[in-house]
Amino acid sequence: MMRHRWGTSLGVLAVPAFVVIIAADPPRAAAQGAHDYPIPSSAAEAFSPIREGFTVPLHPRDDLRGPMQGPAARETGLAMERRERWPSLPVFFRDTALRADSRSYWFDEHDFGYGEPEAFTTGGSLSYESGYLADFFQLRSVLYTTQPLYANSDAGRSLNLSPDGDQITTLGQLNGRLRLAGQQLTVGRQIIRTPYINPYDSRMIPLTFEGIVLAPDRQGPDTAVDYIASYLTQYKPRDRSGFESFSNGLGVAQNEGVLVTGASYHKNGFNIGGSNYWIEDTLNTAYGEIDYTLPSGGDGPSLRIGANILDQRTVGAELIAGAPYDTYQASARMVASYRGFVFTGAVSKVGDEASIRKPFGFSSSYAAMMVTNFEQAGVDAYLVSLSYDFAGLGLEGLKFKAAWGQGWGRSDPVTNGDFANQEELDLRLVYEPLRGRLQGLRVEVEYIGWTVFDDALPSDELSQFRTIVSYTVPLL
């Protein structure tokens, strides 16, 4: 049985590439790799799916709650200039923002002896966001494009281009937002950020979604209670210009959307919450997490612990392949940091009946890596990683991370595609200055080596090399 792997990109302009694991499933229904999140500088900045809560950002990295973010000096300056120049102009026009995000990405993969996809792409997005009309109504839209500068015969498998290796241009977002009584209601094509459904902006174009989302207005790092109520009808895969139903994305012909509910609580270092995702006659996915950062004094060591579980089971007419089944992935971690060094240790376990299905976002597992998240049926895994922020040495914006993970279990060609015994090494170097003349630039260089044992493959190794350059320019 042949398996394919795909790479990705990260961030607003460029994002690291990740790979999709295919074991008898169509590519877009396969599980995803690690999240597209900034490298942390402390335990308090480490990624927690429930800490990020439930938001509807215009750009995938907008309003992140975990990591420290520098002042958006250019955007703030433009906003002040507009207010001073046109004080009597209606807010709907005066507070309009226009922004260009460029992204260039080189992807080179050696895929277990099956192929060597290579693609050099460029493009990005152009976003528009109006001011609020009567502090009540806002318009937003984002046009995305990815253009091939070089693409070999396997380039379509990179997910940075269409399946046939061609360009993609799409109006991925077009929505209206209503504000009322502390709530925001967003209708249309949009990005949403939740533990299971999210933009996963690790390619040239992020995942976007179509539907209606109710969430609290004016959410921020100090929000104690968070919640979401949503019905999404369709999603747009990263390698397509069009939208399709959520059930189609799981290989089910019936056109069904997803009902999303969730709530979380954040206070005194605790992040606790859960969410549920129901697709009629197909699949129900429930997520729960508890995350806690221990109090620390000043610049001393800090410690963070957490545990989460993703429960997934077939529902209704159970039209999905392999039904009926009931599976899960549980994981736990410890994060410790001191003076720019961040160490993470994590473990995970997957139920025996089926692998986790996650075509609508990155993995919520603490043990997720850049290619695999050890989501295959019956697989136990561990991960260790160490990162360093060079700001303490005067190199602000420069970070490095190394991660090692290993998974093992009972190989089964049906439930886990014989991908039980495996190991992966990830190396990631990122330069992203938060202030000064280079603010808005992000450069990433990454290497991934993944080895799968006891499997009938031409080669037991997959390797990837990625270079991504991103740059954000506020135009208005």
Side-chain angles (χ1 to χ4, degrees):
M1 183 189 306
M2 182 174 177
R3 287 94 175 168
H4 300 288
R5 304 294 180 276
W6 287 263
T8 65
S9 62
L10 172 86
V12 177
L13 300 188
V15 188
F18 305 108
V19 171
V20 175
I21 303 175
I22 307 304
D25 294 328
R28 285 169 288 143
Q32 307 294 327
H35 53 74
D36 57 333
Y37 204 70
I39 295 175
S41 300
S42 66
E45 295 182 13
F47 175 67
S48 159
I50 209 65
R51 174 70 176 111
E52 292 304 320
F54 314 106
T55 58
V56 188
L58 185 62
H59 306 101
R61 283 191 168 195
D62 283 356
D63 306 319
L64 293 179
R65 297 173 178 178
M68 298 288 292
Q69 300 188 56
R74 295 172 300 174
E75 288 87 343
T76 302
L78 282 172
M80 292 179 61
E81 183 178 333
R82 288 194 302 267
R83 289 168 184 156
E84 292 174 358
R85 182 176 298 178
W86 302 302
S88 60
L89 197 67
V91 173
F92 183 84
F93 299 104
R94 187 195 68 194
D95 288 351
T96 291
L98 191 66
R99 172 174 139 178
D101 293 292
S102 71
R103 177 179 298 177
S104 297
Y105 179 101
W106 168 253
F107 175 76
D108 183 3
E109 177 182 85
H110 296 264
D111 179 12
F112 294 109
Y114 286 117
E116 298 182 5
E118 294 180 350
F120 181 31
T121 50
T122 191
S125 65
L126 181 65
S127 62
Y128 161 82
E129 185 175 37
S130 76
Y132 275 93
L133 179 64
D135 201 32
F136 174 70
F137 178 72
Q138 180 186 49
L139 282 175
R140 308 189 306 169
S141 67
V142 185
L143 178 70
Y144 300 95
T145 188
T146 173
Q147 303 290 328
L149 298 178
Y150 168 77
N152 70 359
S153 59
D154 293 326
R157 285 163 43 193
S158 71
L159 289 189
N160 281 330
L161 297 167
S162 68
D164 59 2
D166 201 0
Q167 67 88 30
I168 303 170
T169 300
T170 179
L171 189 61
Q173 293 193 63
L174 179 60
N175 62 74
R177 171 176 287 178
L178 305 177
R179 266 182 178 173
L180 183 64
Q183 316 302 309
Q184 66 177 30
L185 185 70
T186 309
V187 182
R189 296 180 177 183
Q190 57 196 285
I191 279 177
I192 70 167
R193 188 159 54 213
T194 78
Y196 180 70
I197 295 179
N198 48 67
Y200 193 18
D201 189 27
S202 57
R203 306 286 175 122
M204 288 294 294
I205 299 175
L207 290 165
T208 59
F209 310 91
E210 186 173 272
I212 181 168
V213 178
L214 175 69
D217 192 22
R218 299 183 178 90
Q219 302 175 61
D222 298 325
T223 301
V225 177
D226 195 10
Y227 54 86
I228 187 172
S230 169
Y231 186 75
L232 303 174
T233 56
Q234 300 184 97
Y235 83 108
K236 191 200 70 59
R238 292 173 294 175
D239 62 341
R240 301 292 198 279
S241 60
F243 285 68
E244 64 180 69
S245 73
F246 284 81
S247 53
N248 286 170
L250 291 166
V252 175
Q254 184 170 313
N255 292 323
E256 298 291 350
V258 56
L259 179 65
V260 183
T261 56
S264 58
Y265 176 77
H266 317 278
K267 194 169 184 181
N268 299 327
F270 279 101
N271 302 295
I272 305 169
S275 52
N276 194 77
Y277 311 82
W278 177 78
I279 304 174
E280 185 176 358
D281 292 331
T282 306
L283 202 62
N284 190 84
T285 301
Y287 177 79
E289 179 183 357
I290 179 168
D291 169 71
Y292 179 60
T293 302
L294 280 70
S296 60
D299 297 328
S302 60
L303 185 67
R304 187 171 184 171
I305 55 176
N308 64 17
I309 186 167
L310 188 81
D311 178 275
Q312 198 166 74
R313 60 190 66 199
T314 55
V315 293
E318 299 179 318
L319 300 178
I320 195 170
Y325 65 79
D326 176 358
T327 192
Y328 67 91
Q329 183 171 26
S331 66
R333 72 171 179 187
M334 180 195 73
V335 185
S337 64
Y338 182 63
R339 294 190 175 181
F341 286 98
V342 181
F343 170 81
T344 301
V347 294
S348 74
K349 182 177 181 60
V350 180
D352 294 332
E353 291 190 30
S355 299
I356 299 296
R357 307 288 290 274
K358 282 187 62 63
F360 314 122
F362 50 67
S363 173
S364 56
S365 170
Y366 292 136
M369 302 198 70
M370 295 184 67
V371 170
T372 182
N373 60 12
F374 304 110
E375 90 301 339
Q376 303 90 354
V379 170
D380 299 331
Y382 71 86
L383 170 146
V384 292
S385 70
L386 181 66
S387 65
Y388 182 65
D389 184 345
F390 289 85
L393 300 179
L395 300 173
E396 186 178 45
L398 184 64
K399 299 180 182 181
F400 176 76
K401 182 177 181 179
W404 170 265
Q406 188 171 54
W408 63 93
R410 176 178 56 83
S411 295
D412 187 319
V414 175
T415 59
N416 63 25
D418 287 336
F419 276 76
N421 301 312
Q422 56 193 296
E423 60 187 30
E424 180 176 331
L425 170 68
D426 297 339
L427 303 176
R428 182 180 173 196
L429 180 69
V430 179
Y431 178 61
E432 186 177 10
L434 298 179
R435 53 184 58 84
R437 294 182 178 180
L438 294 180
Q439 182 187 8
L441 174 70
R442 183 167 68 255
V443 180
E444 304 200 20
V445 180
E446 300 170 345
Y447 169 81
I448 300 97
W450 183 27
T451 303
V452 175
F453 304 101
D454 304 325
D455 193 64
L457 297 167
S459 169
D460 61 0
E461 293 183 354
L462 177 147
S463 63
Q464 289 183 9
F465 180 78
R466 313 162 187 169
T467 301
I468 310 104
V469 179
S470 309
Y471 192 65
T472 299
V473 181
L475 303 175
L476 184 66

